[in-house]
Structures are given as structure tokens and as C-alpha cells.
Amino acid sequence: MDYLLKLKQLAEPYRSNFDVEVRLLEIKRCVAEISQGQLLSRPLPILTLAEDCWLDFFTIGIKQQLPTVQIEQDFRDLNHLFANFRKYLQYHFGQWTLISQQALSIWTKYWPHRHYLELMAGNGVLAKGLTAYGQKVIATDSFAWQGENNTGRQLHFPVQDADALTAIKKFGPQVDAIILSWSPDRDPIDVVIAQQIRQLPQHPDLIVIGEKFGVTNSELFWHTQPIAFSPQVQLINRYLPQHDLVKEQVFLIR
């Protein structure tokens, strides 16, 4: 069954619960924005239901004469769906980073007028967002993920067909910074990318979007690459979503 349909059916008896309804509305907003090729207008809130909303949830179910065992299972199943919303977006839309437009407004305020090369750009939504804030972006991707999900199948920005190392060699000398967003975990290509960037004459920044020692990038990368302190990055990260267990952040590597 489709994720959204299953979520709607499961949540329907409990929609008078404020916490459930707010989460459904936020998911609806998010899907509407991403389906239009837009970044989130604002970060998603925490989606999983806290234990302190259980009593109201349970009371609503009892009033509808639902069995106790069903109410308990519905609470667990609904929380499971909320927790896996990111996976739905990744598979259905090929959207991996959930950085918001609010974050990009901070990003471009403190890093204005930059020229970027984005590696592994997927559908080009991040490149499109940065361009809307007046930045110049060259977006590239090898489209290797097309067989597994919708990454790169519906482009929202001109994305050139090039693997990461080829893109750095061809476009790296033209840019101020290189963006690597959601590099695959367990793949040490990110270390090779960082090494190749450091060989460029103008030494562009490497901006990584992902989860440290988590679902993105190799362990070798996190162990070996120096993360630079940056007030800009600290401000940007305040506007990244923390709605699930994935702690997505922006990192500056120099």
C-alpha cells in the first residue's frame, strides 16, 4: 500500500488528537513542496509521537469503541510511519537532503555571490534553491541510483552527467566551493574527492551535507577530514530538520 494512503487510513480515527493532525499537515506540506521541485520552506518538526500524547490518543480510541490492543498497535504503527517519512521522500522523489529554504537564506546571506560545483546533485533541487538566492551552480551527477529510486529521473535543474572525480577535474578550477550532499555511506569515494579538491590551485571549500558517523559518507572520511569551525555553518544548522533519528548537518571541510 502507498505510504501516504496507509498513513491517512491509520491516522483517520485519531485526527482529533492535536499532535497527530499537526504531523499530518506538516507531511502534506512537505510532499506538496518537494513534488513541485522545491526545498522545504521551513524545517520539519519532530514527527514521532511523544509518550505524553498517549493518554489522549488512547482516550480517542476508547470513545470510538476500538479494542485496547488495536489502539496500542495503531500508536506503534503510526509512529513507525512517521519515523520513516524521510525514506518515503528518498524513494518516491529521490530527495535526500531536507535542508530548508530558511537554511539557504542564512547560507547565502553569509556566503554571498559564490560559484558552486555540486557533486551527486540528483534531481538538482539544492542547486535550484541556491540559484534562486542568486548563487551560480554547476550541478553534476552520474545518475547511478536511477535503478533503485527516483533520484535523477525528474530533473528540476540542469544536471550534467558526470561522476564526481570527472566533475572536479572539469569544473573544479572554475568554482569557489564544492558541495557534496548525502554521499553514500561505506563508500570511501568521499576521501578521494576531498584529496582531489585539495589539489586544485584555488583550494575551494568542500561543503558536506550529511550525518557524521551516520547514514552518509564513509567512516574513513569522518575520521580523516578536518571539519572547520564556521559561524555560518552553525547558523545554517539551526534550520536543518531534526524530525527523525537522522542528524543531518552542514560541514565545512578545508
PDB file of all heavy atoms in Angstrom, residues 217-243:
ATOM      1  N   ASN A 217      28.347   9.191   3.996  1.00  0.00           N
ATOM      2  CA  ASN A 217      29.814   9.239   3.988  1.00  0.00           C
ATOM      3  C   ASN A 217      30.442   8.022   4.677  1.00  0.00           C
ATOM      4  O   ASN A 217      29.798   7.328   5.453  1.00  0.00           O
ATOM      5  CB  ASN A 217      30.327  10.532   4.616  1.00  0.00           C
ATOM      6  CG  ASN A 217      29.845  11.768   3.880  1.00  0.00           C
ATOM      7  OD1 ASN A 217      28.739  12.249   4.131  1.00  0.00           O
ATOM      8  ND2 ASN A 217      30.652  12.281   2.980  1.00  0.00           N
ATOM      9  N   SER A 218      31.702   7.831   4.356  1.00  0.00           N
ATOM     10  CA  SER A 218      32.429   6.696   4.920  1.00  0.00           C
ATOM     11  C   SER A 218      32.990   7.039   6.296  1.00  0.00           C
ATOM     12  O   SER A 218      33.232   8.215   6.607  1.00  0.00           O
ATOM     13  CB  SER A 218      33.572   6.304   3.983  1.00  0.00           C
ATOM     14  OG  SER A 218      34.545   7.343   3.917  1.00  0.00           O
ATOM     15  N   GLU A 219      33.207   6.025   7.102  1.00  0.00           N
ATOM     16  CA  GLU A 219      33.847   6.253   8.411  1.00  0.00           C
ATOM     17  C   GLU A 219      35.240   6.824   8.226  1.00  0.00           C
ATOM     18  O   GLU A 219      35.688   7.664   9.018  1.00  0.00           O
ATOM     19  CB  GLU A 219      33.893   4.951   9.207  1.00  0.00           C
ATOM     20  CG  GLU A 219      32.555   4.549   9.792  1.00  0.00           C
ATOM     21  CD  GLU A 219      32.705   3.595  10.973  1.00  0.00           C
ATOM     22  OE1 GLU A 219      33.799   3.545  11.571  1.00  0.00           O
ATOM     23  OE2 GLU A 219      31.730   2.911  11.283  1.00  0.00           O
ATOM     24  N   LEU A 220      35.940   6.377   7.194  1.00  0.00           N
ATOM     25  CA  LEU A 220      37.280   6.898   6.926  1.00  0.00           C
ATOM     26  C   LEU A 220      37.237   8.401   6.692  1.00  0.00           C
ATOM     27  O   LEU A 220      38.122   9.133   7.164  1.00  0.00           O
ATOM     28  CB  LEU A 220      37.873   6.189   5.703  1.00  0.00           C
ATOM     29  CG  LEU A 220      39.294   6.600   5.309  1.00  0.00           C
ATOM     30  CD1 LEU A 220      40.273   6.286   6.431  1.00  0.00           C
ATOM     31  CD2 LEU A 220      39.716   5.906   4.012  1.00  0.00           C
ATOM     32  N   PHE A 221      36.225   8.865   5.999  1.00  0.00           N
ATOM     33  CA  PHE A 221      36.083  10.300   5.753  1.00  0.00           C
ATOM     34  C   PHE A 221      35.961  11.062   7.068  1.00  0.00           C
ATOM     35  O   PHE A 221      36.682  12.039   7.310  1.00  0.00           O
ATOM     36  CB  PHE A 221      34.852  10.557   4.877  1.00  0.00           C
ATOM     37  CG  PHE A 221      34.609  12.011   4.583  1.00  0.00           C
ATOM     38  CD1 PHE A 221      35.227  12.629   3.518  1.00  0.00           C
ATOM     39  CD2 PHE A 221      33.744  12.771   5.377  1.00  0.00           C
ATOM     40  CE1 PHE A 221      35.003  13.979   3.243  1.00  0.00           C
ATOM     41  CE2 PHE A 221      33.526  14.108   5.114  1.00  0.00           C
ATOM     42  CZ  PHE A 221      34.149  14.715   4.046  1.00  0.00           C
ATOM     43  N   TRP A 222      35.053  10.616   7.937  1.00  0.00           N
ATOM     44  CA  TRP A 222      34.831  11.339   9.191  1.00  0.00           C
ATOM     45  C   TRP A 222      36.045  11.255  10.109  1.00  0.00           C
ATOM     46  O   TRP A 222      36.294  12.171  10.899  1.00  0.00           O
ATOM     47  CB  TRP A 222      33.599  10.797   9.900  1.00  0.00           C
ATOM     48  CG  TRP A 222      32.320  11.005   9.149  1.00  0.00           C
ATOM     49  CD1 TRP A 222      31.450  10.048   8.718  1.00  0.00           C
ATOM     50  CD2 TRP A 222      31.757  12.260   8.726  1.00  0.00           C
ATOM     51  NE1 TRP A 222      30.393  10.622   8.060  1.00  0.00           N
ATOM     52  CE2 TRP A 222      30.545  11.974   8.051  1.00  0.00           C
ATOM     53  CE3 TRP A 222      32.162  13.588   8.844  1.00  0.00           C
ATOM     54  CZ2 TRP A 222      29.749  12.974   7.511  1.00  0.00           C
ATOM     55  CZ3 TRP A 222      31.359  14.584   8.303  1.00  0.00           C
ATOM     56  CH2 TRP A 222      30.173  14.277   7.648  1.00  0.00           C
ATOM     57  N   HIS A 223      36.809  10.171   9.998  1.00  0.00           N
ATOM     58  CA  HIS A 223      37.995  10.033  10.844  1.00  0.00           C
ATOM     59  C   HIS A 223      39.167  10.883  10.351  1.00  0.00           C
ATOM     60  O   HIS A 223      40.032  11.274  11.151  1.00  0.00           O
ATOM     61  CB  HIS A 223      38.439   8.571  10.904  1.00  0.00           C
ATOM     62  CG  HIS A 223      37.659   7.731  11.868  1.00  0.00           C
ATOM     63  ND1 HIS A 223      37.640   7.974  13.235  1.00  0.00           N
ATOM     64  CD2 HIS A 223      36.878   6.632  11.670  1.00  0.00           C
ATOM     65  CE1 HIS A 223      36.882   7.081  13.835  1.00  0.00           C
ATOM     66  NE2 HIS A 223      36.395   6.259  12.918  1.00  0.00           N
ATOM     67  N   THR A 224      39.223  11.170   9.059  1.00  0.00           N
ATOM     68  CA  THR A 224      40.426  11.786   8.494  1.00  0.00           C
ATOM     69  C   THR A 224      40.263  13.224   8.045  1.00  0.00           C
ATOM     70  O   THR A 224      41.267  13.930   7.914  1.00  0.00           O
ATOM     71  CB  THR A 224      40.926  10.958   7.294  1.00  0.00           C
ATOM     72  OG1 THR A 224      39.896  10.895   6.286  1.00  0.00           O
ATOM     73  CG2 THR A 224      41.295   9.536   7.728  1.00  0.00           C
ATOM     74  N   GLN A 225      39.037  13.695   7.813  1.00  0.00           N
ATOM     75  CA  GLN A 225      38.870  15.023   7.239  1.00  0.00           C
ATOM     76  C   GLN A 225      38.646  16.081   8.318  1.00  0.00           C
ATOM     77  O   GLN A 225      37.774  15.931   9.169  1.00  0.00           O
ATOM     78  CB  GLN A 225      37.697  15.038   6.251  1.00  0.00           C
ATOM     79  CG  GLN A 225      37.863  14.058   5.112  1.00  0.00           C
ATOM     80  CD  GLN A 225      39.189  14.220   4.390  1.00  0.00           C
ATOM     81  OE1 GLN A 225      39.543  15.318   3.952  1.00  0.00           O
ATOM     82  NE2 GLN A 225      39.926  13.123   4.265  1.00  0.00           N
ATOM     83  N   PRO A 226      39.436  17.150   8.290  1.00  0.00           N
ATOM     84  CA  PRO A 226      39.312  18.201   9.313  1.00  0.00           C
ATOM     85  C   PRO A 226      38.071  19.067   9.091  1.00  0.00           C
ATOM     86  O   PRO A 226      37.922  19.691   8.039  1.00  0.00           O
ATOM     87  CB  PRO A 226      40.594  19.021   9.127  1.00  0.00           C
ATOM     88  CG  PRO A 226      40.959  18.824   7.686  1.00  0.00           C
ATOM     89  CD  PRO A 226      40.508  17.439   7.325  1.00  0.00           C
ATOM     90  N   ILE A 227      37.195  19.083  10.062  1.00  0.00           N
ATOM     91  CA  ILE A 227      35.992  19.911   9.982  1.00  0.00           C
ATOM     92  C   ILE A 227      36.308  21.288  10.550  1.00  0.00           C
ATOM     93  O   ILE A 227      36.720  21.417  11.705  1.00  0.00           O
ATOM     94  CB  ILE A 227      34.827  19.263  10.746  1.00  0.00           C
ATOM     95  CG1 ILE A 227      34.471  17.913  10.111  1.00  0.00           C
ATOM     96  CG2 ILE A 227      33.614  20.175  10.761  1.00  0.00           C
ATOM     97  CD1 ILE A 227      33.451  17.123  10.891  1.00  0.00           C
ATOM     98  N   ALA A 228      36.147  22.317   9.733  1.00  0.00           N
ATOM     99  CA  ALA A 228      36.498  23.677  10.146  1.00  0.00           C
ATOM    100  C   ALA A 228      35.367  24.296  10.957  1.00  0.00           C
ATOM    101  O   ALA A 228      34.184  24.094  10.655  1.00  0.00           O
ATOM    102  CB  ALA A 228      36.801  24.530   8.914  1.00  0.00           C
ATOM    103  N   PHE A 229      35.721  25.034  11.987  1.00  0.00           N
ATOM    104  CA  PHE A 229      34.706  25.803  12.727  1.00  0.00           C
ATOM    105  C   PHE A 229      34.227  26.945  11.847  1.00  0.00           C
ATOM    106  O   PHE A 229      35.019  27.651  11.218  1.00  0.00           O
ATOM    107  CB  PHE A 229      35.280  26.361  14.022  1.00  0.00           C
ATOM    108  CG  PHE A 229      34.347  27.336  14.700  1.00  0.00           C
ATOM    109  CD1 PHE A 229      33.259  26.880  15.425  1.00  0.00           C
ATOM    110  CD2 PHE A 229      34.539  28.709  14.570  1.00  0.00           C
ATOM    111  CE1 PHE A 229      32.387  27.771  16.026  1.00  0.00           C
ATOM    112  CE2 PHE A 229      33.678  29.602  15.178  1.00  0.00           C
ATOM    113  CZ  PHE A 229      32.595  29.129  15.912  1.00  0.00           C
ATOM    114  N   SER A 230      32.931  27.158  11.804  1.00  0.00           N
ATOM    115  CA  SER A 230      32.366  28.219  10.987  1.00  0.00           C
ATOM    116  C   SER A 230      31.093  28.746  11.624  1.00  0.00           C
ATOM    117  O   SER A 230      30.134  27.987  11.803  1.00  0.00           O
ATOM    118  CB  SER A 230      32.067  27.689   9.576  1.00  0.00           C
ATOM    119  OG  SER A 230      31.276  28.607   8.861  1.00  0.00           O
ATOM    120  N   PRO A 231      31.044  30.045  11.982  1.00  0.00           N
ATOM    121  CA  PRO A 231      29.802  30.631  12.497  1.00  0.00           C
ATOM    122  C   PRO A 231      28.654  30.507  11.502  1.00  0.00           C
ATOM    123  O   PRO A 231      27.505  30.320  11.887  1.00  0.00           O
ATOM    124  CB  PRO A 231      30.169  32.099  12.737  1.00  0.00           C
ATOM    125  CG  PRO A 231      31.652  32.116  12.850  1.00  0.00           C
ATOM    126  CD  PRO A 231      32.139  31.030  11.948  1.00  0.00           C
ATOM    127  N   GLN A 232      28.996  30.625  10.184  1.00  0.00           N
ATOM    128  CA  GLN A 232      27.947  30.493   9.170  1.00  0.00           C
ATOM    129  C   GLN A 232      27.300  29.115   9.235  1.00  0.00           C
ATOM    130  O   GLN A 232      26.076  28.981   9.185  1.00  0.00           O
ATOM    131  CB  GLN A 232      28.538  30.713   7.766  1.00  0.00           C
ATOM    132  CG  GLN A 232      29.093  32.099   7.527  1.00  0.00           C
ATOM    133  CD  GLN A 232      30.594  32.153   7.746  1.00  0.00           C
ATOM    134  OE1 GLN A 232      31.121  31.510   8.640  1.00  0.00           O
ATOM    135  NE2 GLN A 232      31.272  32.931   6.919  1.00  0.00           N
ATOM    136  N   VAL A 233      28.127  28.087   9.345  1.00  0.00           N
ATOM    137  CA  VAL A 233      27.620  26.720   9.385  1.00  0.00           C
ATOM    138  C   VAL A 233      26.767  26.504  10.629  1.00  0.00           C
ATOM    139  O   VAL A 233      25.715  25.850  10.575  1.00  0.00           O
ATOM    140  CB  VAL A 233      28.781  25.712   9.331  1.00  0.00           C
ATOM    141  CG1 VAL A 233      28.302  24.309   9.685  1.00  0.00           C
ATOM    142  CG2 VAL A 233      29.409  25.708   7.939  1.00  0.00           C
ATOM    143  N   GLN A 234      27.197  27.047  11.755  1.00  0.00           N
ATOM    144  CA  GLN A 234      26.412  26.894  12.979  1.00  0.00           C
ATOM    145  C   GLN A 234      25.022  27.510  12.820  1.00  0.00           C
ATOM    146  O   GLN A 234      24.024  26.942  13.289  1.00  0.00           O
ATOM    147  CB  GLN A 234      27.147  27.555  14.152  1.00  0.00           C
ATOM    148  CG  GLN A 234      28.359  26.759  14.630  1.00  0.00           C
ATOM    149  CD  GLN A 234      28.899  27.292  15.941  1.00  0.00           C
ATOM    150  OE1 GLN A 234      28.896  28.499  16.173  1.00  0.00           O
ATOM    151  NE2 GLN A 234      29.370  26.407  16.794  1.00  0.00           N
ATOM    152  N   LEU A 235      24.938  28.648  12.157  1.00  0.00           N
ATOM    153  CA  LEU A 235      23.631  29.280  11.928  1.00  0.00           C
ATOM    154  C   LEU A 235      22.785  28.468  10.957  1.00  0.00           C
ATOM    155  O   LEU A 235      21.585  28.275  11.165  1.00  0.00           O
ATOM    156  CB  LEU A 235      23.837  30.700  11.385  1.00  0.00           C
ATOM    157  CG  LEU A 235      24.310  31.749  12.384  1.00  0.00           C
ATOM    158  CD1 LEU A 235      24.684  33.040  11.675  1.00  0.00           C
ATOM    159  CD2 LEU A 235      23.229  32.022  13.424  1.00  0.00           C
ATOM    160  N   ILE A 236      23.404  27.986   9.884  1.00  0.00           N
ATOM    161  CA  ILE A 236      22.675  27.183   8.900  1.00  0.00           C
ATOM    162  C   ILE A 236      22.071  25.950   9.558  1.00  0.00           C
ATOM    163  O   ILE A 236      20.914  25.598   9.314  1.00  0.00           O
ATOM    164  CB  ILE A 236      23.616  26.765   7.749  1.00  0.00           C
ATOM    165  CG1 ILE A 236      24.056  27.985   6.944  1.00  0.00           C
ATOM    166  CG2 ILE A 236      22.924  25.743   6.836  1.00  0.00           C
ATOM    167  CD1 ILE A 236      25.209  27.714   5.994  1.00  0.00           C
ATOM    168  N   ASN A 237      22.846  25.315  10.418  1.00  0.00           N
ATOM    169  CA  ASN A 237      22.396  24.053  11.016  1.00  0.00           C
ATOM    170  C   ASN A 237      21.207  24.218  11.961  1.00  0.00           C
ATOM    171  O   ASN A 237      20.520  23.244  12.268  1.00  0.00           O
ATOM    172  CB  ASN A 237      23.559  23.372  11.738  1.00  0.00           C
ATOM    173  CG  ASN A 237      24.518  22.700  10.767  1.00  0.00           C
ATOM    174  OD1 ASN A 237      24.125  22.307   9.669  1.00  0.00           O
ATOM    175  ND2 ASN A 237      25.767  22.566  11.155  1.00  0.00           N
ATOM    176  N   ARG A 238      20.961  25.423  12.405  1.00  0.00           N
ATOM    177  CA  ARG A 238      19.768  25.657  13.228  1.00  0.00           C
ATOM    178  C   ARG A 238      18.487  25.449  12.427  1.00  0.00           C
ATOM    179  O   ARG A 238      17.420  25.251  13.004  1.00  0.00           O
ATOM    180  CB  ARG A 238      19.786  27.078  13.785  1.00  0.00           C
ATOM    181  CG  ARG A 238      20.881  27.342  14.807  1.00  0.00           C
ATOM    182  CD  ARG A 238      20.768  28.761  15.324  1.00  0.00           C
ATOM    183  NE  ARG A 238      21.838  29.079  16.251  1.00  0.00           N
ATOM    184  CZ  ARG A 238      21.985  30.267  16.849  1.00  0.00           C
ATOM    185  NH1 ARG A 238      21.094  31.233  16.603  1.00  0.00           N
ATOM    186  NH2 ARG A 238      22.983  30.485  17.681  1.00  0.00           N
ATOM    187  N   TYR A 239      18.592  25.524  11.108  1.00  0.00           N
ATOM    188  CA  TYR A 239      17.414  25.440  10.255  1.00  0.00           C
ATOM    189  C   TYR A 239      17.350  24.128   9.474  1.00  0.00           C
ATOM    190  O   TYR A 239      16.613  24.015   8.512  1.00  0.00           O
ATOM    191  CB  TYR A 239      17.381  26.627   9.282  1.00  0.00           C
ATOM    192  CG  TYR A 239      17.195  27.940   9.996  1.00  0.00           C
ATOM    193  CD1 TYR A 239      18.293  28.683  10.427  1.00  0.00           C
ATOM    194  CD2 TYR A 239      15.925  28.431  10.272  1.00  0.00           C
ATOM    195  CE1 TYR A 239      18.128  29.874  11.099  1.00  0.00           C
ATOM    196  CE2 TYR A 239      15.742  29.625  10.944  1.00  0.00           C
ATOM    197  CZ  TYR A 239      16.858  30.345  11.359  1.00  0.00           C
ATOM    198  OH  TYR A 239      16.684  31.526  12.031  1.00  0.00           O
ATOM    199  N   LEU A 240      18.128  23.155   9.902  1.00  0.00           N
ATOM    200  CA  LEU A 240      18.023  21.834   9.310  1.00  0.00           C
ATOM    201  C   LEU A 240      17.047  20.995  10.109  1.00  0.00           C
ATOM    202  O   LEU A 240      16.944  21.149  11.328  1.00  0.00           O
ATOM    203  CB  LEU A 240      19.394  21.146   9.247  1.00  0.00           C
ATOM    204  CG  LEU A 240      20.078  21.284   7.870  1.00  0.00           C
ATOM    205  CD1 LEU A 240      20.512  22.710   7.628  1.00  0.00           C
ATOM    206  CD2 LEU A 240      21.237  20.336   7.743  1.00  0.00           C
ATOM    207  N   PRO A 241      16.317  20.081   9.444  1.00  0.00           N
ATOM    208  CA  PRO A 241      15.286  19.310  10.156  1.00  0.00           C
ATOM    209  C   PRO A 241      15.890  18.330  11.136  1.00  0.00           C
ATOM    210  O   PRO A 241      16.939  17.752  10.887  1.00  0.00           O
ATOM    211  CB  PRO A 241      14.553  18.571   9.020  1.00  0.00           C
ATOM    212  CG  PRO A 241      15.565  18.481   7.926  1.00  0.00           C
ATOM    213  CD  PRO A 241      16.380  19.737   8.020  1.00  0.00           C
ATOM    214  N   GLN A 242      15.223  18.156  12.255  1.00  0.00           N
ATOM    215  CA  GLN A 242      15.592  17.155  13.247  1.00  0.00           C
ATOM    216  C   GLN A 242      14.350  16.333  13.577  1.00  0.00           C
ATOM    217  O   GLN A 242      14.032  16.093  14.725  1.00  0.00           O
ATOM    218  CB  GLN A 242      16.158  17.838  14.504  1.00  0.00           C
ATOM    219  CG  GLN A 242      17.372  18.713  14.259  1.00  0.00           C
ATOM    220  CD  GLN A 242      18.608  17.926  13.815  1.00  0.00           C
ATOM    221  OE1 GLN A 242      18.735  16.754  14.123  1.00  0.00           O
ATOM    222  NE2 GLN A 242      19.499  18.575  13.097  1.00  0.00           N
ATOM    223  N   HIS A 243      13.620  15.935  12.531  1.00  0.00           N
ATOM    224  CA  HIS A 243      12.321  15.305  12.734  1.00  0.00           C
ATOM    225  C   HIS A 243      12.411  13.799  12.961  1.00  0.00           C
ATOM    226  O   HIS A 243      11.424  13.163  13.303  1.00  0.00           O
ATOM    227  CB  HIS A 243      11.417  15.580  11.531  1.00  0.00           C
ATOM    228  CG  HIS A 243      11.873  14.900  10.270  1.00  0.00           C
ATOM    229  ND1 HIS A 243      12.857  15.414   9.470  1.00  0.00           N
ATOM    230  CD2 HIS A 243      11.482  13.737   9.693  1.00  0.00           C
ATOM    231  CE1 HIS A 243      13.056  14.607   8.446  1.00  0.00           C
ATOM    232  NE2 HIS A 243      12.235  13.575   8.557  1.00  0.00           N
TER     233      HIS A 243
END
